[in-house]
Amino acid sequence: MRVLVTGHLGYIGTVMVPMLLQAGHSVIGVDSDIYERCSYKPGGAIVSVPSLRKDVRDLELYDLQGFDACIHLAALSNDPLSDLNPDITYAINHRGSARLATLCKEVGVRRFLFASSCSNYGAAGDDVIDETGTLNPVTAYGQSKVWSERDISPLAGGDFSPTFLRPATAYGVSPRLRLDVVLNNLVAHAVTTGRIYLQSDGSPWRPIVHIQDIARAFIAVLAARPEDVANQAFNVGRSDQNYRIIDIAEAVARVVPNCRIEVAPEAGPDKRSYRVSFDKIARVLPAFQPLWDVDRGARQLYESYRSGRMTRTDFEGSRYQRTSHVKQLLALGILEPDLRHAPHQRTAAE
Protein backbone atom coordinates (compact mmCIF):
# COMPACT_ATOMS: atom_id res chain seq x y z
CA MET A 1 0.00 0.00 0.00
CA ARG A 2 0.91 3.65 -0.40
CA VAL A 3 0.71 4.89 3.19
CA LEU A 4 0.75 8.41 4.59
CA VAL A 5 2.15 8.51 8.14
CA THR A 6 1.54 11.67 10.17
CA GLY A 7 4.00 12.18 13.00
CA HIS A 8 6.54 9.98 11.23
CA LEU A 9 9.45 11.78 12.93
CA GLY A 10 8.20 11.22 16.47
CA TYR A 11 8.92 8.66 19.16
CA ILE A 12 6.76 5.93 17.59
CA GLY A 13 6.92 7.08 13.97
CA THR A 14 10.70 6.77 13.64
CA VAL A 15 10.40 3.11 14.69
CA MET A 16 7.24 2.37 12.68
CA VAL A 17 8.41 3.75 9.32
CA PRO A 18 11.26 1.24 8.72
CA MET A 19 8.97 -1.59 9.82
CA LEU A 20 6.33 -0.46 7.31
CA LEU A 21 8.98 -0.37 4.59
CA GLN A 22 10.15 -3.85 5.55
CA ALA A 23 6.55 -5.04 5.29
CA GLY A 24 6.49 -3.85 1.68
CA HIS A 25 4.58 -0.58 2.00
CA SER A 26 5.46 2.69 0.31
CA VAL A 27 5.65 5.42 2.97
CA ILE A 28 5.34 9.19 2.80
CA GLY A 29 5.59 11.18 6.02
CA VAL A 30 4.07 14.38 7.37
CA ASP A 31 5.53 16.07 10.43
CA SER A 32 6.01 19.62 11.69
CA ASP A 33 9.14 18.23 13.38
CA ILE A 34 8.81 20.07 16.66
CA TYR A 35 11.28 17.56 18.11
CA GLU A 36 14.00 17.92 15.47
CA ARG A 37 16.43 18.90 18.25
CA CYS A 38 15.63 15.77 20.25
CA SER A 39 17.31 12.97 18.33
CA TYR A 40 18.92 10.17 20.32
CA LYS A 41 21.94 8.73 18.49
CA PRO A 42 22.02 5.36 20.32
CA GLY A 43 18.45 4.84 19.05
CA GLY A 44 19.74 4.58 15.50
CA ALA A 45 19.48 6.72 12.40
CA ILE A 46 16.13 8.10 11.31
CA VAL A 47 15.16 6.38 8.05
CA SER A 48 14.57 8.96 5.34
CA VAL A 49 11.35 8.81 3.34
CA PRO A 50 9.66 11.42 1.12
CA SER A 51 7.89 13.82 3.43
CA LEU A 52 6.11 17.10 4.00
CA ARG A 53 7.18 19.44 6.81
CA LYS A 54 3.70 20.59 7.75
CA ASP A 55 1.45 20.87 10.77
CA VAL A 56 -1.34 18.30 10.63
CA ARG A 57 -3.86 21.11 11.13
CA ASP A 58 -2.75 22.66 7.84
CA LEU A 59 -3.04 19.63 5.54
CA GLU A 60 -5.24 20.10 2.48
CA LEU A 61 -6.92 17.77 0.01
CA TYR A 62 -4.03 17.94 -2.46
CA ASP A 63 -1.62 16.68 0.23
CA LEU A 64 -3.69 13.53 0.66
CA GLN A 65 -4.28 12.42 -2.91
CA GLY A 66 -3.13 9.02 -4.09
CA PHE A 67 -2.86 7.20 -0.75
CA ASP A 68 -4.38 3.83 0.11
CA ALA A 69 -4.12 4.43 3.86
CA CYS A 70 -3.34 7.07 6.45
CA ILE A 71 -1.71 6.18 9.76
CA HIS A 72 -2.40 9.16 12.01
CA LEU A 73 0.17 9.35 14.83
CA ALA A 74 0.67 13.12 15.05
CA ALA A 75 -0.49 14.51 18.39
CA LEU A 76 0.56 16.19 21.60
CA SER A 77 1.34 12.89 23.14
CA ASN A 78 1.37 12.79 26.91
CA ASP A 79 -0.68 14.01 29.84
CA PRO A 80 1.55 16.84 31.19
CA LEU A 81 2.13 18.22 27.69
CA SER A 82 -1.57 18.12 26.84
CA ASP A 83 -2.41 19.86 30.12
CA LEU A 84 0.03 22.68 29.32
CA ASN A 85 -2.67 24.26 27.14
CA PRO A 86 -5.80 22.10 26.82
CA ASP A 87 -7.28 24.33 24.09
CA ILE A 88 -4.27 23.73 21.85
CA THR A 89 -4.40 20.02 22.69
CA TYR A 90 -8.01 19.84 21.53
CA ALA A 91 -7.20 21.87 18.40
CA ILE A 92 -4.44 19.44 17.39
CA ASN A 93 -5.47 16.09 18.81
CA HIS A 94 -9.24 16.33 18.43
CA ARG A 95 -10.29 18.86 15.82
CA GLY A 96 -7.16 18.32 13.73
CA SER A 97 -7.73 14.56 13.71
CA ALA A 98 -11.43 14.79 12.84
CA ARG A 99 -10.67 17.25 10.04
CA LEU A 100 -7.92 15.00 8.67
CA ALA A 101 -10.22 11.97 8.64
CA THR A 102 -12.90 13.99 6.84
CA LEU A 103 -10.42 15.12 4.19
CA CYS A 104 -9.10 11.57 3.77
CA LYS A 105 -12.60 10.30 3.13
CA GLU A 106 -13.31 13.11 0.68
CA VAL A 107 -10.19 12.45 -1.35
CA GLY A 108 -10.63 8.66 -1.42
CA VAL A 109 -8.15 7.35 1.18
CA ARG A 110 -9.80 4.05 2.07
CA ARG A 111 -8.08 3.12 5.34
CA PHE A 112 -7.63 5.47 8.31
CA LEU A 113 -5.68 4.09 11.27
CA PHE A 114 -6.02 6.37 14.26
CA ALA A 115 -3.53 6.24 17.13
CA SER A 116 -5.83 6.49 20.12
CA SER A 117 -4.83 5.42 23.63
CA CYS A 118 -5.61 3.27 26.64
CA SER A 119 -5.61 6.62 28.47
CA ASN A 120 -9.21 6.75 27.29
CA TYR A 121 -10.06 4.49 30.24
CA GLY A 122 -8.56 6.93 32.75
CA ALA A 123 -9.75 6.11 36.25
CA ALA A 124 -10.97 2.55 35.68
CA GLY A 125 -9.84 0.98 38.96
CA ASP A 126 -8.79 -2.62 39.51
CA ASP A 127 -11.24 -4.36 37.19
CA VAL A 128 -10.01 -5.49 33.78
CA ILE A 129 -11.58 -3.37 31.04
CA ASP A 130 -12.00 -4.15 27.35
CA GLU A 131 -12.97 -2.09 24.30
CA THR A 132 -16.64 -2.06 25.32
CA GLY A 133 -15.86 -0.54 28.72
CA THR A 134 -16.73 2.95 29.86
CA LEU A 135 -14.33 5.64 28.69
CA ASN A 136 -13.37 7.82 31.64
CA PRO A 137 -10.43 10.07 30.66
CA VAL A 138 -8.96 12.25 33.38
CA THR A 139 -6.63 14.42 31.26
CA ALA A 140 -6.93 16.63 28.19
CA TYR A 141 -4.88 14.06 26.26
CA GLY A 142 -7.28 11.21 27.04
CA GLN A 143 -10.31 13.42 26.42
CA SER A 144 -8.96 14.50 23.03
CA LYS A 145 -8.61 10.86 21.96
CA VAL A 146 -12.14 9.98 23.14
CA TRP A 147 -13.64 12.92 21.25
CA SER A 148 -11.63 12.02 18.14
CA GLU A 149 -12.96 8.47 18.10
CA ARG A 150 -16.49 9.81 18.64
CA ASP A 151 -16.29 12.21 15.70
CA ILE A 152 -14.39 9.99 13.27
CA SER A 153 -16.56 6.90 13.78
CA PRO A 154 -19.65 8.31 11.95
CA LEU A 155 -17.50 8.79 8.82
CA ALA A 156 -17.24 5.01 8.41
CA GLY A 157 -19.05 3.49 5.48
CA GLY A 158 -18.77 3.05 1.78
CA ASP A 159 -15.10 3.00 0.90
CA PHE A 160 -13.88 4.60 4.13
CA SER A 161 -12.69 2.32 6.92
CA PRO A 162 -11.42 3.94 10.13
CA THR A 163 -9.79 1.79 12.82
CA PHE A 164 -8.98 3.00 16.33
CA LEU A 165 -5.87 1.52 17.93
CA ARG A 166 -5.53 2.13 21.67
CA PRO A 167 -1.95 1.34 22.68
CA ALA A 168 -0.96 0.76 26.27
CA THR A 169 1.70 3.07 27.71
CA ALA A 170 4.62 2.95 25.28
CA TYR A 171 8.24 2.14 26.06
CA GLY A 172 11.41 1.27 24.23
CA VAL A 173 14.42 2.75 22.46
CA SER A 174 13.78 5.10 19.52
CA PRO A 175 15.76 7.59 17.43
CA ARG A 176 13.46 10.18 19.02
CA LEU A 177 13.61 8.90 22.59
CA ARG A 178 11.18 10.03 25.27
CA LEU A 179 11.97 9.89 28.97
CA ASP A 180 8.50 10.97 30.06
CA VAL A 181 6.93 7.51 29.77
CA VAL A 182 7.08 5.25 32.77
CA LEU A 183 9.52 2.43 31.94
CA ASN A 184 11.90 4.66 29.96
CA ASN A 185 11.85 7.13 32.84
CA LEU A 186 12.44 4.64 35.65
CA VAL A 187 15.35 2.95 33.87
CA ALA A 188 16.94 6.34 33.11
CA HIS A 189 16.50 7.40 36.72
CA ALA A 190 18.16 4.21 37.91
CA VAL A 191 21.07 4.46 35.47
CA THR A 192 21.84 8.14 36.11
CA THR A 193 21.13 8.45 39.84
CA GLY A 194 21.13 4.93 41.29
CA ARG A 195 17.51 5.42 42.34
CA ILE A 196 14.19 4.24 40.91
CA TYR A 197 12.09 7.19 41.94
CA LEU A 198 8.31 6.85 42.09
CA GLN A 199 6.12 9.95 41.97
CA SER A 200 3.07 7.90 43.01
CA ASP A 201 2.70 5.33 45.76
CA GLY A 202 3.19 2.57 43.18
CA SER A 203 -0.35 1.21 43.45
CA PRO A 204 -1.88 2.35 40.10
CA TRP A 205 -2.29 -0.20 37.33
CA ARG A 206 -0.74 0.54 33.97
CA PRO A 207 -0.50 -1.69 30.88
CA ILE A 208 2.70 -1.17 28.89
CA VAL A 209 3.73 -2.05 25.33
CA HIS A 210 6.92 -1.72 23.32
CA ILE A 211 6.86 0.72 20.41
CA GLN A 212 7.92 -2.06 18.02
CA ASP A 213 4.83 -4.01 19.06
CA ILE A 214 2.67 -0.92 18.52
CA ALA A 215 4.05 -0.77 14.98
CA ARG A 216 3.28 -4.48 14.53
CA ALA A 217 -0.36 -3.80 15.43
CA PHE A 218 -0.71 -1.08 12.81
CA ILE A 219 0.90 -3.32 10.20
CA ALA A 220 -1.52 -6.13 11.13
CA VAL A 221 -4.49 -3.80 10.64
CA LEU A 222 -3.22 -2.79 7.20
CA ALA A 223 -2.98 -6.48 6.28
CA ALA A 224 -6.47 -7.32 7.58
CA ARG A 225 -9.63 -7.38 5.52
CA PRO A 226 -11.39 -4.02 5.85
CA GLU A 227 -14.59 -5.70 7.02
CA ASP A 228 -12.72 -7.21 9.99
CA VAL A 229 -11.40 -3.89 11.30
CA ALA A 230 -13.77 -1.22 9.95
CA ASN A 231 -14.94 1.17 12.67
CA GLN A 232 -13.45 -1.08 15.34
CA ALA A 233 -11.37 -0.19 18.39
CA PHE A 234 -8.48 -2.42 19.45
CA ASN A 235 -6.47 -2.22 22.64
CA VAL A 236 -2.82 -2.74 21.69
CA GLY A 237 -0.65 -4.79 23.99
CA ARG A 238 -0.65 -8.10 25.87
CA SER A 239 -2.95 -9.01 28.72
CA ASP A 240 -0.02 -10.32 30.76
CA GLN A 241 1.67 -6.92 30.54
CA ASN A 242 -0.62 -5.12 33.01
CA TYR A 243 1.44 -4.04 36.01
CA ARG A 244 1.20 -1.91 39.08
CA ILE A 245 3.80 0.86 38.92
CA ILE A 246 5.67 -0.77 41.80
CA ASP A 247 5.93 -3.97 39.73
CA ILE A 248 7.52 -2.01 36.88
CA ALA A 249 9.97 -0.50 39.35
CA GLU A 250 10.89 -3.94 40.63
CA ALA A 251 11.51 -5.11 37.05
CA VAL A 252 13.92 -2.20 36.62
CA ALA A 253 15.67 -3.16 39.86
CA ARG A 254 16.21 -6.66 38.49
CA VAL A 255 18.03 -5.25 35.47
CA VAL A 256 19.96 -2.19 36.68
CA PRO A 257 22.70 -3.10 39.17
CA ASN A 258 23.12 -1.30 42.49
CA CYS A 259 19.95 0.76 42.41
CA ARG A 260 17.19 1.19 44.97
CA ILE A 261 13.49 2.02 44.83
CA GLU A 262 12.42 5.28 46.47
CA VAL A 263 8.92 6.68 46.80
CA ALA A 264 8.50 10.46 46.82
CA PRO A 265 7.58 11.69 50.32
CA GLU A 266 4.43 13.38 49.01
CA ALA A 267 3.46 10.42 46.81
CA GLY A 268 -0.14 9.28 46.75
CA PRO A 269 -2.24 7.13 44.44
CA ASP A 270 -2.37 8.33 40.83
CA LYS A 271 -5.97 8.78 39.65
CA ARG A 272 -4.90 7.28 36.31
CA SER A 273 -5.23 3.56 36.95
CA TYR A 274 -6.49 0.95 34.51
CA ARG A 275 -6.06 -2.76 33.77
CA VAL A 276 -6.79 -3.60 30.15
CA SER A 277 -7.79 -6.71 28.23
CA PHE A 278 -6.03 -7.30 24.94
CA ASP A 279 -7.99 -10.43 24.04
CA LYS A 280 -9.81 -8.79 21.11
CA ILE A 281 -6.72 -7.91 19.09
CA ALA A 282 -5.30 -11.40 19.68
CA ARG A 283 -8.57 -12.95 18.46
CA VAL A 284 -9.36 -10.72 15.48
CA LEU A 285 -5.80 -10.05 14.30
CA PRO A 286 -3.77 -13.24 14.78
CA ALA A 287 -1.05 -11.70 12.59
CA PHE A 288 -0.31 -9.37 15.49
CA GLN A 289 2.35 -11.14 17.51
CA PRO A 290 3.88 -8.89 20.19
CA LEU A 291 7.39 -9.88 21.14
CA TRP A 292 8.33 -7.71 24.12
CA ASP A 293 7.78 -7.84 27.87
CA VAL A 294 8.81 -5.58 30.74
CA ASP A 295 12.04 -7.40 31.57
CA ARG A 296 13.29 -7.48 28.00
CA GLY A 297 12.26 -3.85 27.54
CA ALA A 298 14.08 -2.74 30.70
CA ARG A 299 17.17 -4.59 29.52
CA GLN A 300 17.06 -2.88 26.09
CA LEU A 301 16.77 0.54 27.70
CA TYR A 302 19.51 -0.15 30.25
CA GLU A 303 21.96 -1.31 27.60
CA SER A 304 21.14 1.66 25.36
CA TYR A 305 21.56 4.22 28.14
CA ARG A 306 24.84 2.64 29.24
CA SER A 307 26.26 2.44 25.71
CA GLY A 308 25.17 6.03 25.06
CA ARG A 309 26.68 7.16 28.40
CA MET A 310 23.50 8.89 29.48
CA THR A 311 24.16 11.35 32.28
CA ARG A 312 21.97 12.90 34.92
CA THR A 313 22.14 16.15 32.93
CA ASP A 314 20.74 14.29 29.90
CA PHE A 315 18.01 12.76 32.04
CA GLU A 316 16.95 15.99 33.72
CA GLY A 317 17.34 18.22 30.65
CA SER A 318 14.71 19.15 28.10
CA ARG A 319 15.91 17.11 25.12
CA TYR A 320 14.01 13.95 26.01
CA GLN A 321 11.20 15.51 28.08
CA ARG A 322 8.43 16.66 25.76
CA THR A 323 6.80 19.23 28.05
CA SER A 324 10.10 20.87 29.02
CA HIS A 325 11.23 20.96 25.41
CA VAL A 326 8.04 22.59 24.14
CA LYS A 327 8.22 25.18 26.93
CA GLN A 328 11.79 25.94 25.88
CA LEU A 329 10.83 26.36 22.22
CA LEU A 330 8.01 28.71 23.23
CA ALA A 331 10.35 30.76 25.41
CA LEU A 332 12.88 31.05 22.58
CA GLY A 333 10.22 32.13 20.10
CA ILE A 334 10.82 29.09 17.90
CA LEU A 335 7.18 28.07 18.34
CA GLU A 336 4.17 30.36 18.27
CA PRO A 337 1.66 30.05 21.14
CA ASP A 338 -0.45 27.73 18.94
CA LEU A 339 2.64 25.44 18.61
CA ARG A 340 3.17 26.17 14.93
CA HIS A 341 6.71 27.12 13.94
CA ALA A 342 7.32 30.84 14.08
CA PRO A 343 7.94 32.45 10.66
CA HIS A 344 11.55 32.55 9.43
CA GLN A 345 12.84 30.22 12.13
CA ARG A 346 15.89 28.24 11.07
CA THR A 347 15.63 24.48 11.39
CA ALA A 348 18.03 22.50 13.55
CA ALA A 349 19.69 21.15 10.40
CA GLU A 350 20.46 24.61 8.99
Side-chain angles (χ1 to χ4, degrees):
M1 290 185 185
R2 190 166 187 259
V3 182
L4 179 70
V5 179
T6 73
H8 76 293
L9 293 175
Y11 174 57
I12 296 174
T14 49
V15 170
M16 184 181 294
V17 164
M19 293 177 67
L20 286 165
L21 294 172
Q22 188 175 17
H25 297 288
S26 173
V27 177
I28 291 83
V30 174
D31 205 304
S32 65
D33 210 9
I34 287 177
Y35 305 116
E36 62 186 318
R37 298 162 179 84
C38 302
S39 294
Y40 175 66
K41 288 184 179 180
I46 296 175
V47 174
S48 179
V49 294
S51 61
L52 295 172
R53 183 183 171 101
K54 202 167 188 178
D55 191 293
V56 70
R57 292 168 288 180
D58 301 327
L59 290 172
E60 300 295 346
L61 286 172
Y62 56 80
D63 296 317
L64 307 173
Q65 292 175 344
F67 292 100
D68 301 300
C70 174
I71 293 177
H72 182 37
L73 303 177
L76 297 181
S77 59
N78 73 358
D79 294 329
L81 180 56
S82 69
D83 288 340
L84 188 63
N85 187 329
D87 289 340
I88 298 300
T89 296
Y90 298 139
I92 296 171
N93 291 11
H94 168 223
R95 295 192 296 276
S97 298
R99 176 180 177 272
L100 176 60
T102 301
L103 293 177
C104 283
K105 180 173 183 176
E106 185 174 343
V107 82
V109 180
R110 294 174 178 266
R111 310 286 287 270
F112 189 84
L113 282 63
F114 178 66
S116 191
S117 174
C118 280
S119 291
N120 294 7
Y121 302 119
D126 290 342
D127 294 336
V128 176
I129 193 166
D130 66 14
E131 291 83 353
T132 65
T134 300
L135 303 181
N136 188 25
V138 296
T139 64
Y141 172 71
Q143 187 66 70
S144 73
K145 295 297 186 179
V146 170
W147 286 345
S148 294
E149 289 193 25
R150 179 199 66 191
D151 291 349
I152 294 169
S153 180
L155 299 174
D159 291 330
F160 188 68
S161 173
T163 304
F164 309 105
L165 292 99
R166 300 174 180 168
T169 298
Y171 67 86
V173 174
S174 163
R176 287 279 170 85
L177 182 70
R178 289 175 54 186
L179 296 182
D180 51 11
V181 285
V182 61
L183 184 57
N184 295 10
N185 178 276
L186 294 182
V187 176
H189 219 304
V191 168
T192 61
T193 73
R195 300 181 301 154
I196 304 168
Y197 195 68
L198 302 186
Q199 301 285 352
S200 76
D201 64 3
S203 65
W205 285 96
R206 200 65 48 82
I208 61 174
V209 63
H210 197 284
I211 48 178
Q212 289 181 14
D213 287 338
I214 293 173
R216 289 185 176 95
F218 279 81
I219 291 168
V221 171
L222 288 179
R225 297 182 306 172
E227 57 266 31
D228 291 336
V229 296
N231 215 17
Q232 295 287 315
F234 294 94
N235 297 330
V236 177
R238 285 170 39 180
S239 292
D240 64 353
Q241 294 298 295
N242 284 285
Y243 297 99
R244 292 190 185 275
I245 298 298
I246 189 64
D247 298 327
I248 299 174
E250 289 171 352
V252 174
R254 290 195 294 270
V255 168
V256 181
N258 304 316
C259 65
R260 65 187 185 277
I261 297 173
E262 288 188 12
V263 179
E266 70 281 4
D270 189 332
K271 60 183 177 180
R272 299 169 300 164
S273 182
Y274 42 90
R275 298 175 68 192
V276 177
S277 168
F278 301 95
D279 293 347
K280 179 180 178 181
I281 194 169
R283 182 179 72 252
V284 177
L285 296 173
F288 172 59
Q289 293 291 323
L291 301 180
W292 291 81
D293 60 28
V294 66
D295 292 291
R296 185 181 174 202
R299 173 66 61 182
Q300 182 205 35
L301 291 160
Y302 169 65
E303 292 175 353
S304 177
Y305 298 163
R306 286 294 303 275
S307 68
R309 298 182 179 180
M310 181 176 286
T311 66
R312 185 166 183 170
T313 300
D314 296 328
F315 171 58
E316 294 179 346
S318 65
R319 178 183 290 267
Y320 307 122
Q321 306 281 355
R322 294 299 191 245
T323 304
S324 297
H325 187 71
V326 168
K327 286 181 177 179
Q328 183 180 64
L329 296 182
L330 287 167
L332 293 172
I334 294 170
L335 293 182
E336 299 280 14
D338 66 358
L339 301 190
R340 289 180 170 89
H341 283 281
H344 312 303
Q345 284 294 332
R346 294 169 62 87
T347 68
E350 291 177 320

